[in-house]
Amino acid sequence: GQNIDQPTEMTATEGAIVQINCTYQTSGFNGLFWYQQHAGEAPTFLSYNVLDGLEEKGRFSSFLSRSKGYSYLLLKELQMKDSASYLCAVFADKLIFGTGTRLQVFP
Amino acid sequence: GEEVAQTPKHLVRGEGQKAKLYCAPIKGHSYVFWYQQVLKNEFKFLISFQNENVFDETGMPKERFSAKCLPNSPCSLEIQATKLEDSAVYFCASSRTTASNYGYTFGSGTRLTVV
């Protein structure tokens, strides 16, 4: 079967760093995506990892370890606007999503 | 256009009524995907199309749900005889290929409320 796990909720303070973990067990793997979804809006693409290692893009970085079935999204210098749900999704033969992590950033 | 357009934004139906949702993919994208998001839980894959052809329908409930993508028309997802449990946000997404490293581009969703 397909299983993608993330923490349900996290909180952090403005200016801090937060790491959102994702573990997966899927029948295929062709890459891992992170999406951001603000309440009532469409998910928007944040990052893509297909090889092991760290991909950095501004304040956001994403890490992948295929052997461990593990990824994380690292958000630095948190801003209030980063309060959103963060979705980990594995591309097997289609995108399969985890339950998402709701991040609340406090002043 | 450069966005996936979904209509309507909100839809309210009484139990047993029909619901029809529409999606216009980005021009040039050959693949269309439908997902269901119940409350704030995970996205459940329903069905995908490659142009007008069903590509993967492994997530579609066997009864009551149907979908089409016809040439020169928005794609549609239809639910016959809606049930309370069908209340969800239905997202449509499109992509150029099934293996794009930019993933899918999502529409803003249709919120279906069955009362």
Side-chain angles (χ1 to χ4, degrees):
Chain A
Q2 321 278 33
N3 198 40
I4 301 174
D5 287 317
Q6 304 176 234
T8 305
E9 290 195 0
M10 297 183 72
T11 59
T13 307
E14 208 174 4
I17 299 172
V18 71
Q19 178 174 311
I20 303 174
N21 296 323
C22 170
T23 57
Y24 64 90
Q25 286 179 302
T26 57
S27 54
F29 182 85
N30 288 307
L32 187 142
F33 292 84
W34 284 94
Y35 281 84
Q36 180 190 60
Q37 186 183 24
H38 284 101
E41 297 183 11
T44 54
F45 170 82
L46 285 179
S47 69
Y48 169 72
N49 295 71
V50 67
L51 300 176
D52 290 352
L54 189 69
E55 294 280 343
E56 296 187 78
K57 195 186 287 187
R59 294 189 299 115
F60 293 3
S61 304
S62 56
F63 172 84
L64 175 67
S65 169
R66 288 172 296 171
S67 61
K68 294 181 180 176
Y70 168 69
S71 173
Y72 67 73
L73 180 70
L74 193 71
L75 293 78
K76 302 176 190 173
E77 301 168 16
L78 280 173
Q79 302 175 8
M80 297 296 290
K81 67 179 182 180
D82 297 330
S83 292
S85 288
Y86 291 85
L87 307 169
C88 172
V90 171
F91 190 85
D93 56 348
K94 55 184 168 282
L95 269 184
I96 304 161
F97 285 86
T99 51
T101 299
R102 186 166 173 240
L103 174 67
Q104 284 191 288
V105 179
F106 293 100
Chain B
E2 289 303 308
E3 65 173 27
V4 177
Q6 287 190 250
T7 55
K9 287 196 179 302
H10 301 278
L11 190 59
V12 179
R13 287 289 179 267
E15 252 191 307
Q17 291 186 317
K18 183 174 76 174
K20 196 164 185 178
L21 292 60
Y22 297 93
C23 168
I26 292 173
K27 193 175 179 180
H29 283 194
S30 304
Y31 292 86
V32 171
F33 308 85
W34 285 98
Y35 285 83
Q36 178 194 55
Q37 188 179 35
V38 178
L39 295 176
K40 292 176 184 174
N41 291 338
E42 64 189 273
F43 280 65
K44 180 192 169 191
F45 170 79
L46 295 175
I47 190 169
S48 61
F49 288 84
Q50 179 182 13
N51 298 313
E52 309 90 67
N53 305 307
V54 173
F55 188 73
D56 182 342
E57 59 182 348
T58 52
M60 278 290 264
K62 296 299 180 194
E63 300 172 353
R64 301 187 301 107
F65 283 63
S66 63
K68 292 179 189 175
C69 277
L70 299 175
N72 303 314
S73 296
C75 296
S76 63
L77 176 69
E78 190 167 320
I79 308 172
Q80 302 285 344
T82 52
K83 297 183 177 181
L84 294 176
E85 69 223 38
D86 298 332
S87 294
V89 181
Y90 291 83
F91 285 95
C92 173
S94 70
S95 73
R96 287 188 187 279
T97 72
T98 58
S100 166
N101 62 349
Y102 286 97
Y104 306 163
T105 303
F106 284 84
S108 53
T110 293
R111 180 177 295 279
L112 172 65
T113 303
V114 181
V115 297

